Amino acid sequence: MSLLRVFPGANDKELRLRQLINYVIASPEKQVWQGLFFEKTPNMVRASGVPAEGTTEEILMSFLLPHMAYGYPGTRLCYHCLLDFNGLLGANDAGFIAWEINEYLMQYGIQFLQGVHITKSKGAVFWPHVHVLINSIVLYGPNRGRKFRLEKPVLRGYKEYMNAVLKKYKLPVIPVYEGGGNDEITNSET
């Protein structure tokens, strides 16, 4: 079964955001799939509104500047999500399909960063999955400067959009409503 998970936590500190950015873009052990290091391939790290090929500091400043400009420092800086395709896709395909799913976020005028990783457990390699960092400030459109909240209606729309993309590629869909076993929030990071 495919999965969309939102990790808990306020992510309200610059240090935490820096750690998440490093985790998404720069963890070398997370960027090897079937013996190939895939850091520079286009589908492995992609972004909207932030420099996907930038340094950690450049991406960090891209995420922080809207908070400073619109007066929201000290509040939630980002959301951290996981898209998992249960081992049915290779690394490049996971990045490509995740990007198509994350096009849903573009309608809100927010920045986001996605990076493909592989799942490791006690040294074993299982399959590619995608981590997504979503900025919590709207940068474009009529709500520019307001806080973006990944609340139930937005999350439901995200899941419905994800399911449409998954069906297009004949992949297992996810439950859209709570209680379907897929709205679990976890403290562990894969």
Side-chain angles (χ1 to χ4, degrees), residues 65-112:
L65 284 173
H67 291 270
M68 290 183 252
Y70 295 110
Y72 290 107
T75 63
R76 176 187 290 275
L77 299 172
C78 70
Y79 293 93
H80 179 200
C81 301
L82 171 81
L83 303 173
D84 191 313
F85 307 104
N86 202 30
L88 299 174
L89 298 173
N92 193 56
D93 289 338
F96 176 80
I97 291 173
W99 182 255
E100 193 168 332
I101 291 166
N102 286 327
E103 286 177 351
Y104 173 80
L105 300 171
M106 291 179 189
Q107 69 181 308
Y108 293 102
I110 53 174
Q111 301 167 305
F112 65 88

Side-chain angles (χ1 to χ4, degrees), residues 144-158:
R144 182 177 47 187
R146 293 188 177 174
K147 290 292 281 184
F148 171 78
R149 290 179 172 77
L150 194 57
E151 294 175 334
K152 286 183 182 182
V154 176
L155 189 56
R156 185 176 59 246
Y158 195 16

